[in-house]
Amino acid sequence: MADVDKAFAGAIPAIYDRYLGPLLFEPYARDMARRLAGMEGRILETAAGTGIVTRALVQTLPASVELVATDLNQPMLDHAAKKLDAPQVTWQQANALSLPFESAGFDALVCQFGVMFFPDKSAGFAEARRVLKPGGRFLFSVWDRIEDNEIAGVVSAAVAAAFPDDPPGFMARTPHGYHDTGRIRDELQGAGFSDIGIETVTLRSRAETPADPATGFCQGTPMRLEIEARDASRLDEVTNLAAQAVARHFADGPIDGKIQAHVITAVA
């Protein structure tokens, strides 16, 4: 994986949260929080990003639950902390492949759409199992193929067409690059997890205008850095081209597209 795929800094966190939060992540965050309803004890969140799942968990779980929210990128956590004031939440920068926590210290570990960014998935799973108590729950999600995610597919194709000699490949390569459920199951078993459940969850993604997803993907993800590396002066132009592609595919107004992900549960 290219280093650019893990770069969430500068203007990216705020744009990511504003445009992609409602479009992609909040629907699955509510689903994930629902799956942990009634949970007690201590929960670790990895790849917390701008705190979208963190906020859903605070709204759903008892106030007695201790939640430690971590991310590799400090700028993402800084943005998240500004949006949530909850005494039960601790924010901490951490690498999910080398967690700075004691073994068997958490009752559950949650990771929404972060595993795809792990350069070594097996190492990430092994760390998850290490920090979970025996019988602890591991709950995470990954995007399905880009072909099963309409809006992301349209934007990615439009950006690629803008650079035909060197098309950016971030979207298919990383966010939508870890969808083989057989591989996921094998790697979880290899890390020592049992009772593995994999559910494919299809939801709808909605935005007020075609410009919203175009701005979110082109300027609020590492795809922005791919565009700027090719020609920084074209960022707004390429964003507009993506918005036009979304409008052609859906409508020049509120849009509604299919999103699909795998939600995985496992027991330590």
Side-chain angles (χ1 to χ4, degrees):
M1 183 193 302
D3 287 342
V4 69
D5 290 3
K6 297 176 285 184
F8 286 85
I12 288 177
I15 295 172
Y16 171 101
D17 194 62
R18 176 181 175 184
Y19 293 103
L20 297 184
L23 185 77
L24 302 177
F25 301 116
E26 289 178 4
Y28 285 101
R30 291 190 293 269
D31 174 80
M32 187 161 282
R34 176 185 59 78
R35 293 169 189 265
L36 288 174
M39 188 80 196
E40 297 284 354
R42 192 171 183 229
I43 298 177
L44 175 64
E45 182 184 1
T46 56
T50 57
I52 294 168
V53 171
T54 320
R55 297 193 289 271
L57 291 172
V58 167
Q59 292 171 357
T60 304
L61 298 177
S64 58
V65 170
E66 179 185 352
L67 179 57
V68 181
T70 69
D71 197 272
L72 180 64
N73 296 280
Q74 188 63 46
M76 297 289 270
L77 290 180
D78 292 341
H79 184 85
K82 292 176 183 176
K83 299 197 68 172
L84 179 64
D85 182 14
Q88 67 268 44
V89 177
T90 300
W91 305 98
Q92 183 171 338
Q93 191 276 336
N95 185 338
L97 274 63
S98 181
L99 292 166
F101 304 109
E102 72 279 13
S103 297
F106 293 92
D107 298 282
L109 192 153
V110 179
C111 183
Q112 174 168 270
F113 301 123
V115 168
M116 307 92 66
F117 293 89
F118 295 177
D120 185 338
K121 276 69 171 176
S122 294
F125 292 159
E127 271 294 89
R129 189 177 186 281
R130 181 186 68 79
V131 300
L132 282 169
K133 297 176 182 178
R137 296 173 62 187
F138 184 23
L139 173 63
F140 69 99
S141 57
V142 297
W143 290 113
D144 204 347
R145 305 178 313 148
I146 197 167
E147 293 83 0
D148 289 312
N149 287 270
E150 278 187 281
I151 302 173
V154 171
V155 171
S156 184
V159 173
F163 299 98
D165 296 330
D166 186 17
F170 165 73
M171 293 301 298
R173 179 178 65 245
T174 301
H176 297 276
Y178 188 62
H179 53 74
D180 183 332
T181 57
R183 176 187 171 188
I184 294 168
R185 184 181 297 276
D186 288 345
E187 292 180 342
L188 282 168
Q189 289 175 337
F193 283 99
S194 61
D195 295 333
I196 298 165
I198 302 177
E199 180 183 353
T200 300
V201 179
T202 303
L203 299 175
R204 305 300 298 179
S205 179
R206 298 178 175 86
E208 289 301 313
T209 72
D212 287 353
T215 302
F217 284 117
C218 294
Q219 300 189 21
T221 74
M223 186 159 65
R224 175 187 186 130
L225 306 182
E226 288 191 312
I227 295 169
E228 291 177 333
R230 287 156 177 78
D231 189 341
S233 69
R234 295 187 64 195
L235 179 62
D236 288 340
E237 173 205 341
V238 174
T239 303
N240 289 333
L241 289 172
Q244 292 168 21
V246 173
R248 287 193 300 271
H249 186 86
F250 295 96
D252 192 11
I255 61 172
D256 183 301
K258 171 188 172 184
I259 49 177
Q260 188 161 291
H262 302 305
V263 179
I264 300 99
T265 58
V267 176

